[in-house]
Amino acid sequence: MKILFVCSGNTGRSPMAEFILKKLVGDDKNFVIESAASKPTEGGDLHAGIAAKLREENIPYTKHTARQITAADYEKFDKIICMDAGNVEQVKTICGGDRDNKIQMLLENDIPWDKNGFAKTYDDILRGCQKLLKTLKEA
């Protein structure tokens, strides 16, 4: 299962989701998990506040360089999981639509960019990743 998480700039919410899901799946080699931006990016690093929250929650992470999603990613990934409704529309534009129904939101609601310690962002992404993993295992 190849999963691509997407947020606006790929320095916060989508890499947070990438690293949380990687921890949840552990050593399961059946998963390829990456992240990307829905808007053009200049390759920024993981946001310092997001990195601090991941450390606080004991979620391992690696060096991260932001990148924008491409139309080729639509063919490569089984699921493209967006952090908000705006990301969904931007990704559909970049990918020329969603003919295979791969593009969806992580939760029913937009996941906030919660600069106040990123607690809400983390809680929402964790809940979304747990729900996603449960759905995938039931399929």
Side-chain angles (χ1 to χ4, degrees):
M1 176 62 57
K2 295 177 184 166
I3 299 169
L4 182 67
F5 289 107
V6 178
C7 69
S8 299
N10 191 222
T11 60
R13 296 171 299 166
S14 61
M16 179 180 265
E18 173 187 348
F19 296 126
I20 288 172
L21 190 60
K22 282 179 176 178
K23 179 167 184 181
L24 291 174
V25 302
D27 294 337
D28 190 338
K29 302 294 184 215
N30 294 313
F31 285 90
V32 172
I33 305 163
E34 296 180 19
S35 63
S38 63
K39 295 180 179 178
T41 181
E42 295 185 18
D45 295 329
L46 185 63
H47 185 279
I50 294 290
K53 184 63 178 171
L54 290 172
R55 282 191 305 274
E56 177 184 321
E57 299 295 339
N58 295 312
I59 304 290
Y61 63 92
T62 56
K63 170 113 175 83
H64 175 78
T65 303
R67 71 170 185 92
Q68 186 178 17
I69 189 171
T70 66
D73 287 323
Y74 190 85
E75 303 307 321
K76 177 180 176 183
F77 290 92
D78 301 307
K79 293 204 174 283
I80 299 172
I81 311 293
C82 298
M83 300 297 122
D84 63 47
N87 301 146
V88 170
E89 294 311 311
Q90 292 159 338
V91 169
K92 285 180 179 178
T93 299
I94 292 166
C95 295
D98 186 17
R99 69 185 175 283
D100 298 324
N101 211 21
K102 295 180 178 187
I103 303 168
Q104 65 188 64
M105 287 186 33
L106 183 60
L107 294 174
E108 302 79 37
N109 56 295
D110 290 353
I111 294 177
W113 178 254
D114 169 27
K115 291 186 210 174
N116 189 18
F118 295 100
K120 174 125 178 71
T121 305
Y122 175 82
D123 290 344
D124 283 355
I125 291 174
L126 177 61
R127 186 167 40 92
C129 286
Q130 289 168 332
K131 181 179 172 186
L132 174 64
L133 194 53
K134 183 178 184 229
T135 302
L136 292 174
K137 288 183 176 183
E138 291 172 352

